[in-house]
Amino acid sequence: MKRHDRNSLQQYLPEPLPSSSIQSLSSLPLSTGSPLPLSPVQLTLVDIWKEILSLQHVGIHDNFFTLGGNSISSILVVARLQEAGLHLSPDQIFQKRTIAELAPLVTEARGTGEQGIVTGTLPLTPIQRWFFETWEPLAHHFNQAVMLEVLEDIEVVVLEKALQKVLEHHDALRLRFERTEAGWRQENAGTGKPIGLKYVNVSGLIQAAQTEAIAKVAEEEHESFDLTEGQLLRAVLIHRGQGRTGRLLLVIHHLGVDGLSWRILIEDLEKAYKHLKGGSEAAPGTKTTSFKTWAERLELYAGTQAVEEQFPYWEKQGQEEVGSLPVDMKGRANTVASEGQVTVRLEEEETRALLQEVPRAYGTRVEEVLLAALAAAIRRWTGLDRISVELEGHGREELLEDVDLSRTVGWFTALYPVVLDLGKAERPEDTLRAVNDRLNGVPMKGLGYGLLRYLGRDEIVEKLEGLSSPEVLFNYLGEFDASVSRLSVFRPTREETGPARSRRGLRSHLLEVNGLVFNWRLELTWNYSQNLHERATIERLAQDFIAEVRNFIGHRKTAIVPRDTPNESLPMRLEQIAHGLLHDQQMLGMALLVELADRRRFPVAQGSSDPAGTLYTQTTRVVIGSLTKMFTAVAVLQLIEDGKLSLESPVNAWLPGPLKGKAITVRDLLAHTSGLPDYLSRLTELDATQPWSPHSLVELVEHAPSVPPGHYSNTNYIVLGLILETLTGHTWEEEITQRIIQPLGLSRTTPLTTAFPPESFAGAWERGEKGWEDIRHAWHPSFGWAAGGMISTTEDLVTFGRALFGGALFKSPASLASMRSYTLSSTPHVADGVEHEVGVCLHRFRVAGLTLEGHLGVRPGYSAILLHDPETQAIVAATANTHGALIAFAGVKAFDAVRRATSSPHPRSE
């Protein structure tokens, strides 16, 4: 967490730390919490996840998808394991989302696909049938292309041989198509004629002329395809002059490639080139199930009952009433030649937050957040609550046994329509919930639609063909360059690659939105027709979209997970919350404990309580900081019930001389409206080796100026401790023990005194240049006392909280009611989406639709919370012993999980 995040949170945290103790958490290493060394399989998975997800730290308990993973990156993980001689399936990653759970499932690599050259006829797949149905008149010109930067002096002959090897190795690049009376057919051709690498030298041209020359060559290559020849790859090596890196333009007809295939091809090209240059035989990566086998198996699967049962769902999608998108100009053709583009981007830090923090905060995936932002932006533009969107899935689903497509090149895309209905959703969480409801209902990740629409029975094909089609196409490709970051010869660029489609064609959608992450920045390109829309219209829409994405990012710290999925129980959700917080805050360890109204408890503990790996548990004892004030307040209110003083009793007799003239009451002290300055800023003047007294702590503020009423001050509770001692004749420690600790049986809770050995509670760990340091030695023993000097555990805190909020600690309900006098502060304080009010010791927080009460405690090296939800009567306690950790929102998310787990299920939209 960055420093500005910490400072903004201090505006509403009850007890700010001295500025010298506030540090960035970005440098703290993530601890997995396991004292045991990682196994070779775990280490392999950690390395792969770090590479694929572009992370520096990955723990074995981190959730793959809340780290920013998606379905495409899960396939890349499987491909990396395949290279290492190991096997795991994408579905297993979806089911067991942490390395700790996945490692036992990893096996030796299974039998792979046919490693030789595959030839023969094969059926058209659904996406290929869509292509010929849509683009048949101009079928030769529908391509994808990548411009690669060449990072070393290339050997042209070696490069040509490497390209030939890639062409032979990946069978889909040798597909041949012909038009027959029965329709289009395809076959895998043999090696055929060798590939011809074109060489272009533009070094003698000025920059503008170079750009023009490259564009002309690129257009020629795009228009050069003949689908009957059995070679779908074109390559152009471009020499740009001395001192400038070269370029390699690769153009492939879309019938032989998709977004995931490019990652495989670029890696294999580099491998083959390096091997050949080094004098060895070219050896691209291992082949998995061939495209031919997949097409054959898929055709058979299309006729199964499992697919046909999906027909009512897809029919309903096409029958739902949705409004049409407005156009600026009517009656004009939606041509490729009229296509314009608008691109919007996030900054690098925003992209990092979107990929790594937003999924964890909302319990969702990046593509779902982007779709929610898309729906919200279109609603702002059109006023439509319901829109139809055609989604592009990667299509490499695990439908069939013994099929592995993780390293197979081809066009696997699954196109399918989804109607997104936002209803009255306004908050980011509600918008995301509406989108999730629809996406969660999509069967077979959309693959079934194409099977029914293009391979189904005639009557089904006819019905689906007659339904309305979406006007918006959305495709998210993930982190395109992360998976090829280890390359040293060829590096993808975002430079212009030429016209991918014939300008004489007609566009299939009004809007096409394509997103990917490149160079650590998310970019979304909006393609539209300038015959139908003004550029300014699309620019406003794109800016509204990116504003919605930033809204999700901005609310991530106070976000509420839209809804637990049917497979997730409350314990599982609490585990996710703890895992996420441990990763975000880079803590050693923490404990989280939830108690429901029926007294059922749900404990979660993660990580370690020290660098040696001692497990953090529910009984780990830590300094609870300002939660001590709740104990002091209860004891004072019990004295009031005994008639020994009142809330309006003046307390000036216990104040330093210069402050005696100011009228201050017990209520002022309890509610922080006294105006007394805080002693913390002067505490460092005390000698930690010398005796001390609570009176000396109060005297430290003697020459300090008063502060505005409502200012949070530890001095208030030091004075209350002195009052307690004066009126009872016992020490504060004795009173707290006799009145609260012993009656409640809080065996692991005790006031911190000079006689209490530090070894009896967990260290206060701070990360420094030399590693982890226990900073307990830097304290004076008086640190906190009645304002913050107690030790406890989550178990004891929950027991205390239940007694407090249940009224068991008082004779009269009026005492608890007085603690809930939240109107004492004139206006609620709002910061970071949290509305905060102070009562008599208790605090009320309104955040993300929840109203909670309780207290937060922060001390150097420690954090603790005790919160109560009046609606569900649930109680949450959490502790941590890593310096600078903020755990308050773990409690907020835990309460949201409780509400969702204990309320009736949210009705699913269909």
Short mmCIF file of all heavy atoms in Angstrom, two decimals, residues 635-663:
data_model
loop_
_atom_site.label_atom_id
_atom_site.label_comp_id
_atom_site.label_asym_id
_atom_site.label_seq_id
_atom_site.Cartn_x
_atom_site.Cartn_y
_atom_site.Cartn_z
N ALA A 635 -15.59 -0.11 32.22
CA ALA A 635 -15.35 0.02 33.66
C ALA A 635 -15.85 1.35 34.19
O ALA A 635 -16.44 1.43 35.28
CB ALA A 635 -13.86 -0.15 33.94
N VAL A 636 -15.64 2.45 33.45
CA VAL A 636 -16.11 3.77 33.87
C VAL A 636 -17.64 3.81 33.91
O VAL A 636 -18.24 4.34 34.86
CB VAL A 636 -15.55 4.86 32.94
CG1 VAL A 636 -16.23 6.20 33.21
CG2 VAL A 636 -14.04 4.98 33.12
N LEU A 637 -18.28 3.24 32.88
CA LEU A 637 -19.75 3.23 32.86
C LEU A 637 -20.31 2.37 33.99
O LEU A 637 -21.40 2.65 34.52
CB LEU A 637 -20.25 2.74 31.50
CG LEU A 637 -20.03 3.72 30.33
CD1 LEU A 637 -20.31 3.05 29.01
CD2 LEU A 637 -20.92 4.96 30.49
N GLN A 638 -19.62 1.33 34.38
CA GLN A 638 -20.05 0.55 35.54
C GLN A 638 -19.96 1.38 36.82
O GLN A 638 -20.82 1.27 37.70
CB GLN A 638 -19.21 -0.72 35.66
CG GLN A 638 -19.50 -1.76 34.58
CD GLN A 638 -18.62 -2.99 34.70
OE1 GLN A 638 -17.64 -3.01 35.46
NE2 GLN A 638 -18.94 -4.03 33.93
N LEU A 639 -18.93 2.23 36.92
CA LEU A 639 -18.85 3.15 38.06
C LEU A 639 -20.02 4.12 38.06
O LEU A 639 -20.56 4.46 39.12
CB LEU A 639 -17.53 3.93 38.03
CG LEU A 639 -16.26 3.21 38.44
CD1 LEU A 639 -15.07 4.16 38.34
CD2 LEU A 639 -16.37 2.67 39.87
N ILE A 640 -20.41 4.57 36.90
CA ILE A 640 -21.57 5.47 36.80
C ILE A 640 -22.83 4.74 37.26
O ILE A 640 -23.68 5.29 37.98
CB ILE A 640 -21.71 5.98 35.36
CG1 ILE A 640 -20.55 6.93 35.02
CG2 ILE A 640 -23.04 6.69 35.15
CD1 ILE A 640 -20.51 7.39 33.59
N GLU A 641 -22.98 3.48 36.85
CA GLU A 641 -24.14 2.71 37.30
C GLU A 641 -24.13 2.52 38.82
O GLU A 641 -25.19 2.45 39.46
CB GLU A 641 -24.14 1.33 36.62
CG GLU A 641 -24.51 1.37 35.14
CD GLU A 641 -24.63 -0.02 34.54
OE1 GLU A 641 -23.90 -0.93 34.97
OE2 GLU A 641 -25.47 -0.21 33.63
N ASP A 642 -22.91 2.48 39.40
CA ASP A 642 -22.79 2.34 40.86
C ASP A 642 -23.01 3.68 41.58
O ASP A 642 -22.96 3.72 42.83
CB ASP A 642 -21.41 1.79 41.23
CG ASP A 642 -21.22 0.36 40.74
OD1 ASP A 642 -22.23 -0.32 40.48
OD2 ASP A 642 -20.05 -0.06 40.60
N GLY A 643 -23.21 4.75 40.83
CA GLY A 643 -23.48 6.05 41.43
C GLY A 643 -22.27 6.80 41.91
O GLY A 643 -22.39 7.78 42.65
N LYS A 644 -21.06 6.41 41.50
CA LYS A 644 -19.85 7.07 41.97
C LYS A 644 -19.49 8.30 41.15
O LYS A 644 -18.65 9.10 41.57
CB LYS A 644 -18.68 6.08 41.97
CG LYS A 644 -18.88 4.95 42.99
CD LYS A 644 -17.65 4.06 43.08
CE LYS A 644 -17.85 3.00 44.17
NZ LYS A 644 -16.67 2.11 44.31
N LEU A 645 -20.08 8.47 39.99
CA LEU A 645 -19.94 9.68 39.19
C LEU A 645 -20.97 9.61 38.08
O LEU A 645 -21.74 8.64 38.00
CB LEU A 645 -18.53 9.84 38.63
CG LEU A 645 -18.06 8.95 37.45
CD1 LEU A 645 -16.79 9.53 36.84
CD2 LEU A 645 -17.81 7.55 37.91
N SER A 646 -21.04 10.62 37.23
CA SER A 646 -21.99 10.66 36.12
C SER A 646 -21.26 11.08 34.85
O SER A 646 -20.11 11.53 34.89
CB SER A 646 -23.12 11.63 36.42
OG SER A 646 -22.66 12.98 36.33
N LEU A 647 -21.97 10.97 33.76
CA LEU A 647 -21.37 11.39 32.49
C LEU A 647 -21.06 12.88 32.49
O LEU A 647 -20.16 13.33 31.78
CB LEU A 647 -22.31 11.05 31.32
CG LEU A 647 -22.39 9.57 30.91
CD1 LEU A 647 -23.47 9.36 29.87
CD2 LEU A 647 -21.04 9.09 30.37
N GLU A 648 -21.81 13.64 33.30
CA GLU A 648 -21.61 15.08 33.32
C GLU A 648 -20.69 15.54 34.45
O GLU A 648 -20.49 16.74 34.65
CB GLU A 648 -22.96 15.79 33.44
CG GLU A 648 -24.01 15.31 32.44
CD GLU A 648 -23.53 15.32 30.99
OE1 GLU A 648 -22.75 16.22 30.64
OE2 GLU A 648 -23.92 14.42 30.23
N SER A 649 -20.10 14.61 35.17
CA SER A 649 -19.19 14.98 36.27
C SER A 649 -17.96 15.69 35.71
O SER A 649 -17.35 15.23 34.74
CB SER A 649 -18.74 13.74 37.04
OG SER A 649 -19.83 13.12 37.66
N PRO A 650 -17.56 16.83 36.32
CA PRO A 650 -16.34 17.51 35.88
C PRO A 650 -15.11 16.69 36.30
O PRO A 650 -15.11 16.03 37.33
CB PRO A 650 -16.39 18.85 36.61
CG PRO A 650 -17.24 18.58 37.80
CD PRO A 650 -18.26 17.55 37.40
N VAL A 651 -14.08 16.77 35.51
CA VAL A 651 -12.89 15.95 35.77
C VAL A 651 -11.63 16.81 35.94
O VAL A 651 -10.53 16.28 35.95
CB VAL A 651 -12.67 14.94 34.63
CG1 VAL A 651 -13.85 14.00 34.51
CG2 VAL A 651 -12.44 15.68 33.31
N ASN A 652 -11.80 18.11 36.14
CA ASN A 652 -10.64 19.01 36.15
C ASN A 652 -9.65 18.70 37.26
O ASN A 652 -8.47 19.03 37.17
CB ASN A 652 -11.11 20.45 36.25
CG ASN A 652 -11.95 20.84 35.04
OD1 ASN A 652 -13.07 20.35 34.90
ND2 ASN A 652 -11.42 21.68 34.18
N ALA A 653 -10.10 18.03 38.32
CA ALA A 653 -9.19 17.74 39.43
C ALA A 653 -8.07 16.81 39.00
O ALA A 653 -7.01 16.77 39.65
CB ALA A 653 -9.97 17.12 40.59
N TRP A 654 -8.27 16.07 37.95
CA TRP A 654 -7.25 15.12 37.50
C TRP A 654 -6.40 15.65 36.33
O TRP A 654 -5.63 14.92 35.75
CB TRP A 654 -7.91 13.81 37.07
CG TRP A 654 -8.53 13.09 38.22
CD1 TRP A 654 -7.89 12.28 39.10
CD2 TRP A 654 -9.89 13.12 38.60
NE1 TRP A 654 -8.78 11.79 40.03
CE2 TRP A 654 -10.03 12.29 39.75
CE3 TRP A 654 -11.05 13.78 38.13
CZ2 TRP A 654 -11.24 12.11 40.41
CZ3 TRP A 654 -12.25 13.59 38.78
CH2 TRP A 654 -12.34 12.76 39.93
N LEU A 655 -6.56 16.93 36.01
CA LEU A 655 -5.87 17.50 34.87
C LEU A 655 -4.69 18.34 35.31
O LEU A 655 -4.66 18.83 36.44
CB LEU A 655 -6.83 18.36 34.04
CG LEU A 655 -8.06 17.62 33.48
CD1 LEU A 655 -8.94 18.59 32.74
CD2 LEU A 655 -7.64 16.49 32.58
N PRO A 656 -3.68 18.56 34.46
CA PRO A 656 -2.56 19.44 34.79
C PRO A 656 -3.03 20.85 35.11
O PRO A 656 -4.08 21.29 34.61
CB PRO A 656 -1.70 19.41 33.53
CG PRO A 656 -2.08 18.13 32.84
CD PRO A 656 -3.53 17.93 33.16
N GLY A 657 -2.23 21.55 35.89
CA GLY A 657 -2.59 22.89 36.34
C GLY A 657 -3.12 23.82 35.28
O GLY A 657 -4.22 24.39 35.42
N PRO A 658 -2.39 24.06 34.19
CA PRO A 658 -2.83 25.04 33.20
C PRO A 658 -4.16 24.70 32.54
O PRO A 658 -4.78 25.55 31.93
CB PRO A 658 -1.69 25.02 32.17
CG PRO A 658 -0.50 24.54 32.92
CD PRO A 658 -1.04 23.55 33.89
N LEU A 659 -4.61 23.45 32.64
CA LEU A 659 -5.85 23.07 31.98
C LEU A 659 -7.04 23.05 32.93
O LEU A 659 -8.16 22.79 32.51
CB LEU A 659 -5.69 21.69 31.34
CG LEU A 659 -4.62 21.57 30.24
CD1 LEU A 659 -4.53 20.14 29.75
CD2 LEU A 659 -4.95 22.49 29.08
N LYS A 660 -6.81 23.33 34.21
CA LYS A 660 -7.89 23.16 35.18
C LYS A 660 -9.02 24.16 34.98
O LYS A 660 -10.15 23.90 35.37
CB LYS A 660 -7.34 23.31 36.60
CG LYS A 660 -6.51 22.12 37.06
CD LYS A 660 -6.07 22.26 38.50
CE LYS A 660 -5.31 21.03 38.96
NZ LYS A 660 -4.85 21.15 40.37
N GLY A 661 -8.73 25.28 34.35
CA GLY A 661 -9.77 26.28 34.21
C GLY A 661 -10.81 25.92 33.18
O GLY A 661 -11.86 26.55 33.12
N LYS A 662 -10.55 24.91 32.36
CA LYS A 662 -11.48 24.52 31.31
C LYS A 662 -12.40 23.42 31.81
O LYS A 662 -11.95 22.40 32.32
CB LYS A 662 -10.70 24.03 30.08
CG LYS A 662 -11.59 23.60 28.92
CD LYS A 662 -10.72 23.13 27.76
CE LYS A 662 -11.61 22.69 26.60
NZ LYS A 662 -10.79 22.20 25.47
N ALA A 663 -13.72 23.61 31.67
CA ALA A 663 -14.70 22.63 32.16
C ALA A 663 -14.75 21.44 31.21
O ALA A 663 -15.13 21.56 30.05
CB ALA A 663 -16.07 23.27 32.27
#
